[in-house]
Amino acid sequence: LDTAARVRRWTQESVPSTTLSIGVAELAVSATADALLEDADRALYAAKRAGRDTGRSGSAALGRGAD
């Protein structure tokens, strides 16, 4: 999420009226690409539900839900 926060700050500095919600997922060794995309999608929608300019991470493959 540190990189996501840097991207969000850069975006706000470049285009001040822009907001950005970001979902981040980790790929476990045993996970599939589809599972990775599903985790990232869940994290993105969790960030959107949390409000503007937020980031969330999640990885069901690692036994964690969206933060």
Side-chain angles (χ1 to χ4, degrees):
L1 287 176
D2 291 339
T3 301
R6 286 194 306 270
V7 168
R8 218 171 32 247
R9 278 192 301 273
W10 179 86
T11 301
Q12 289 172 335
E13 291 168 2
S14 300
V15 186
S17 62
T18 300
T19 62
L20 186 65
S21 297
I22 299 173
V24 178
E26 289 182 67
L27 180 61
V29 174
S30 62
T32 64
D34 286 341
L36 176 67
L37 292 175
E38 288 172 14
D39 289 345
D41 193 50
R42 273 193 293 275
L44 172 60
Y45 281 96
K48 288 176 177 270
R49 283 190 301 275
R52 291 182 177 174
D53 287 328
T54 59
R56 291 292 183 266
S57 65
S59 181
L62 295 176
R64 296 193 316 247
D67 294 340

